[in-house]
């Protein structure tokens, strides 16, 4: 019986609806027990000069506590009903462009401030006579030194980050990513937990620490920098994430039986340094997202002046030639936004400009062809009797 | 309204009944009914613009529903504006309903209040029982129960329309959000040489549909109202949107899926190009798998939820809580999950606290990606409302501008049917000059 009361009452309330007041709905909803709310019917008070273009409202009647709780069941909860009026469309686009263009300019300036030197060396560091069989060269044992020079184009403020960049190296391949044992890296007592590390799990009958393909393929080119015959020290401390050093790599886990199989995949690790201090390994084991990636090698803690020539003595040990990979050495400063990437700034400016153009276009359209509500064209979907 | 009356009260039949021979009565009655139906049909086809009413009683109905005559009877009945079957038994009511259902393949609705209506209510696609004077039998065997007959128009025009709109919106949106999610994973796969490495942490993947995006959809399905109840009653033509299946056409479904595709492409390419391969924060750290995955997932959740806020025209408290609360819950989840030991949280360990929250590029990229992914839909909506408005869009506009009491606009919006229909003839002619009040 109560149901018919509410339905009947609702219907009665409808026809006495005239002008409404626009009230902020959330203040009245919970406290006043508003009765007979007509959420959804919108009317604007005031003339055309009124700034009240809001599209939500409440109607206040007498306060009736027993009715208040049924607003939920009667689907009369107060609501806002945003409608895409021309004003909203133009304002939205203008707002987006007004926000995006300054951010784009700021991002572009930040990116322009960053100085970056990139040197791809995988082809140049193979002596001329071995250019036809690079894989054979890289697999010959012994030191394979290479001298490169880099010129500083602009003043670079410390700290200057040294990265190595690899191309076409799928560190995100599923089987590669799986091939590690996190528990073995953390705890000394879980040394034998190598089940997920195949095929780099056991060598000579003993478990490998750290096991898995990721550790096995550790990058092993080394770089030594000098400027005017003065060596530049590269700080290799704190190049990994603190959480990795503290919680993922154990302080009492030492490399054991590492790279002792027939196939050596990368660098060797000193057995006397615990894993939590093997920062190169920690950086390498945080697998990259895409096939072209950089990893932090170290930091140079001095300024570099414009025009200085940096001599790099590097050891070309890592075999990227089997899979047509590329190796690059990168020196870069950073800004508040990170490294050098014009993309973000340009993208912001593009979208901001596009929105500005759309705002103008819509203003022109709304001025030239103002909307007429009484459009007598018939609804196309109502032409077929009961058809689709 | 012209009436076509079919009954067996003719003198010839009465004479035969006095004699009492069953076979002769049946044969004569059948012929009489056949003749009357044919005459009625001739009348009707001669002048199809007039409205006809067919009145048939239970005795004639018994013969009209015979297999050889029911097709003819159905044709006549469908051509009339109203059909009254009086003195019919419960079984005949059910048989008539079945005849209409099978013959027209349309959705039938039956309404009744007594125990004799039970057969009819069960037979129809939708059975509505009225609780009241004649007991609760009809209510117990019906799909929907109402208290008074006059609530039927509210049931159909308001709740029927809302229900249709809610279900179609919900399904389209569901396709959209899963399309967006799945396609970002697919695009990432192309960059991992299709080795099946997902772009996100395992738990992110599992909880996407269960926790992060489920509540807004449920709120949409329960609360969405594109047009207020008053307008639904005032402009009954809106109900035809459901009958003509305007809101769930293939075009709309594919349009939403295409929107998901565009959003996914925008999210993926903007995130990867903005964050890779250079450092993403001041300390020179690189955005590797964990950072990129968490950033993309954050953008994804923002886009999918804000799209919901843009697409529905009705946001009440519950929906606000679900949408914005859902996004806020994601950040809380990142914090909580990241705080769990690495054995459980694997790649998400402290990713937010250590990596994302302190890097301005994370916030800048998220903001940019979210707005950019929503611009295509916003633009489409603006253009559609301006140049190709839908019927319910026009009603929303009327309500917004406060023109709903203006009879001129109301009349214009009501006259949208170009089919000449005779259904509802009496109501139409009575209501022509009357103000459309509830």
């Amino acid at each position: 019986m109560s149901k018919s009361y509410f339905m009947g009452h609702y219907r009665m309330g409808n026809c006495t609806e005239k002008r409404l007041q626009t009230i902020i709905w959330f203040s009245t909803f919970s406290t006043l027990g508003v009765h007979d709310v007509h959420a959804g019917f919108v009317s604007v008070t005031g003339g055309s000069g009124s700034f009240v273009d809001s599209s939500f409202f409440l109607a206040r009647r007498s306060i009736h506590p027993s009715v208040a709780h049924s607003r939920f069941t009667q689907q009369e909860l107060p609501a806002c009903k945003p409608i895409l009026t021309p004003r909203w469309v133009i304002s939205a686009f203008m707002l987006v462009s007004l926000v995006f263009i300054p951010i784009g300019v700021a991002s572009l300036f930040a990116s322009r401030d960053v100085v970056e030197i990139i040197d791809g060396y995988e082809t140049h560091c193979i002596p001329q006579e071995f250019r036809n069989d690079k894989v054979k060269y890289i697999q010959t044992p012994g030191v394979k030194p290479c001298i490169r020079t880099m010129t500083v184009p602009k003043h670079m403020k410390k700290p200057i980050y040294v990265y190595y960049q690899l191309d076409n190296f799928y560190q995100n391949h599923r089987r590669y990513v799986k091939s590690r044992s996190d528990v073995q890296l953390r705890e000394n007592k879980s040394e034998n937990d190598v089940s997920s590390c195949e095929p780099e799990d056991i060598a000579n009958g003993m478990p490998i620490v750290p096991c898995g393909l990721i550790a096995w393929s550790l990058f092993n080119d080394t770089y030594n920098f000098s400027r005017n015959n003065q060596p530049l020290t590269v700080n290799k401390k704190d190049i990994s994430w603190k959480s990795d050093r503290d919680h993922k790599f154990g302080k009492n886990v030492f490399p054991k039986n590492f790279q002792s199989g027939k196939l050596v995949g990368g660098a060797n690790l000193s057995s006397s340094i615990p894993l939590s201090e093997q920062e190169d390994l920690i950086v390498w084991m945080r697998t990259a997202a895409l096939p072209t990636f950089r990893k932090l090698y170290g930091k140079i803690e001095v300024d570099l002046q414009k025009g200085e020539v940096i001599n790099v003595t590097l050891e070309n040990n890592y075999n990227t030639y089997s899979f047509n990979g590329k190796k690059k050495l990168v020196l870069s400063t950073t800004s508040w936004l990170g490294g050098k990437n014009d993309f973000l700034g340009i993208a912001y400016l593009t979208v901001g400009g596009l929105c500005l153009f759309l705002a103008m276009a819509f203003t022109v359209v709304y001025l030239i062809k103002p909307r007429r509500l009484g459009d007598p064209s018939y609804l196309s979907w109502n032409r077929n009797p009961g058809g689709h | 309204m012209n009436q076509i009356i079919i009954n067996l009260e003719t003198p010839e039949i009465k004479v035969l009944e006095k004699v009492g021979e069953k076979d002769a009565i049946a044969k004569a009655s059948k012929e009489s009914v056949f003749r009357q139906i044919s005459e009625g049909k001739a009348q009707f086809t001669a002048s199809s613009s007039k409205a006809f009413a067919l009145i048939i009683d239970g005795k004639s109905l018994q013969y009209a529903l015979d297999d050889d005559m029911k097709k003819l009877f159905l044709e006549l009945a469908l051509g009339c504006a109203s059909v009254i079957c009086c003195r019919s038994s419960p079984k005949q009511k059910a048989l008539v309903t079945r005849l209409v259902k099978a013959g027209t393949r349309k959705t039938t609705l039956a309404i009744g209040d007594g125990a004799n209506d039970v057969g009819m209510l069960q037979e129809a696609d939708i059975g509505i029982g009225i609780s009241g004077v004649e007991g609760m039998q009809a209510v117990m065997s019906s799909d929907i129960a109402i208290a008074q007959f006059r609530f039927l128009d509210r049931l159909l025009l308001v709740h029927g329309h809302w229900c249709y709109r809610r279900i179609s919106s919900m399904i389209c949106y569901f396709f959209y959000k899963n399309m967006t999610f799945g396609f970002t994973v697919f695009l990432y796969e192309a960059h991992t040489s299709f080795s099946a490495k997902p772009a996100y942490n395992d738990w992110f993947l599992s909880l996407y549909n269960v926790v992060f995006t489920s509540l807004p959809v449920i709120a949409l399905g329960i609360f969405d109202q594109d047009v207020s109840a008053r307008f639904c009653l005032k402009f009954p033509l809106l109900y035809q949107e459901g009958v003509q299946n305007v809101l769930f056409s293939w075009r709309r479904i594919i349009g939403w899926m295409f929107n998901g595709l565009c959003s996914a492409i925008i999210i993926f390419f903007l995130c990867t190009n903005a964050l890779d391969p250079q450092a993403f924060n001041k300390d020179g750290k690189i955005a590797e798998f964990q950072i990129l995955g968490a950033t993309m997932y954050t953008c994804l959740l923002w886009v999918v939820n804000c799209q919901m806020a843009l697409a529905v025209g009705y946001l009440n408290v519950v929906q606000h809580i679900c949408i914005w609360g859902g996004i806020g819950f994601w950040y809380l989840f990142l914090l909580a999950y990241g705080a769990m030991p690495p054995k459980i949280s694997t790649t998400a360990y402290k990713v937010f606290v250590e990596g994302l929250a302190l890097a301005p590029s994370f916030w800048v990229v998220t903001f940019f990606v979210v707005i950019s992914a929503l611009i295509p839909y916003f633009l489409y909506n603006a253009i559609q409302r301006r140049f190709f408005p839908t019927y319910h869009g026009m009603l929303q506009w009327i309500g917004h501008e406060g023109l709903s009491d203006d009879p001129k606009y109301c009349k214009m919006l009501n006259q949208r049917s170009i089919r000449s229909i005779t259904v509802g003839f009496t109501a139409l002619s009575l209501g022509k000059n009357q103000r459309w009040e509830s």
Side-chain angles (χ1 to χ4, degrees), chain B residues 4 6 32 34 73 77 96 110 125 142 172 204 225 238 267 270 273 323 338 349 357 376 392 394 410 428:
Chain B
I4 303 171
I6 299 176
S32 166
F34 182 75
F73 171 63
V96 168
D125 293 310
S142 64
C172 287
F204 297 176
Q225 289 176 19
L238 191 62
I267 293 174
L270 291 182
N273 279 314
I323 294 177
Y349 183 66
H392 60 261
M394 288 188 233
C410 292
L428 272 176

Side-chain angles (χ1 to χ4, degrees), chain B residues 24 62 93 111 274 279 289 310 395:
Chain B
Q62 187 187 342
K93 287 186 184 180
I111 181 164
F289 174 78
L310 267 188
L395 290 182

Side-chain angles (χ1 to χ4, degrees), chain A residues 3-4 7 10-11 14-15 25 29 39-44 53-55 72 75 77-86 88-89 92-93 96 99-100 103 161 163 170 172-174 177 186 238-243 247-248 286-294 296 334-341 343-344 347-348 351 355 358 362 365-366 369-371 373-375 377-379 381-388, chain B residues 145 150-151 153-154 162 166 188 191-193 195-197 222-223 225-231 237 240-241 244-246 270 272-274 276-286 288-290 292 313-318 320 342-343 346 349-350 354-355 360-361 364-365 367-368 371-372 375 378-379 381-383 385-387 389 391 394 396-400 402-404 409 412 415-419 437-438:
Chain A
K3 196 157 84 164
S4 59
M7 287 191 119
Y10 184 91
R11 288 159 70 82
N14 269 337
C15 54
W25 60 267
F29 167 56
F41 171 64
V42 173
S43 157
V44 178
D53 196 22
S54 55
S55 45
F72 180 76
Q75 305 196 40
L77 287 175
C80 60
K81 305 184 78 175
I83 301 236
L84 273 187
T85 58
W88 273 106
V89 172
F93 280 126
V96 169
V99 169
F100 270 27
I103 297 182
Y161 296 92
Y163 303 95
Y170 285 82
N172 52 16
H173 194 286
R174 192 177 63 90
V177 172
R186 267 199 308 271
D238 287 344
I239 54 175
S240 54
W241 290 95
K242 192 163 181 312
S243 61
H247 295 103
K248 287 196 187 164
R286 217 164 144 113
T287 49
L290 297 173
T292 302
F293 61 91
R294 288 182 194 171
L296 190 55
T334 55
S335 66
W336 61 274
L337 210 50
K340 189 173 190 67
N341 192 356
F343 176 81
L344 198 58
Y348 258 108
V351 176
C355 287
L358 286 172
F362 271 105
V365 164
Y366 288 132
K369 268 181 88 175
R371 190 202 172 95
L373 193 53
D375 172 42
S377 64
Y378 293 112
L379 292 167
W381 47 259
N382 208 25
R383 289 171 194 272
N384 302 323
H388 287 260
Chain B
R150 68 192 171 104
F151 295 157
D153 74 339
R154 212 181 143 77
W162 281 353
R166 285 167 186 168
Y188 185 71
H191 292 255
T192 67
S193 69
S195 63
K197 174 90 182 80
I222 297 177
F223 292 110
Q225 289 176 19
D226 57 340
V227 174
S228 71
R230 181 167 169 267
F231 276 47
L237 194 58
Q240 279 290 315
E241 275 195 349
Q244 307 271 344
N245 199 18
V246 167
L270 291 182
T272 47
N273 279 314
D276 234 52
Q278 78 293 351
F280 80 101
N281 71 1
K282 207 164 172 5
D283 292 329
K285 297 286 193 312
I286 301 292
E288 25 61 59
F289 174 78
Q290 279 138 302
L292 186 71
Y314 183 85
L315 292 164
N316 62 10
V317 191
V318 181
H320 277 296
K343 202 158 58 167
T346 60
Y349 183 66
K350 293 216 172 143
E354 201 186 20
S361 64
V364 169
V365 168
F367 179 62
F368 175 65
I371 305 276
S372 308
I375 283 179
F378 188 76
L379 183 63
N381 214 3
I383 291 179
R385 272 186 189 267
R386 172 69 186 81
F387 295 104
Y391 192 61
M394 288 188 233
Q396 286 169 335
W397 188 280
I398 269 196
H400 177 79
L403 294 165
S404 55
Y409 282 110
M412 219 176 308
Q415 277 179 352
R416 292 267 165 172
S417 174
I418 60 170
R419 290 182 288 137
E437 301 248 34
S438 56

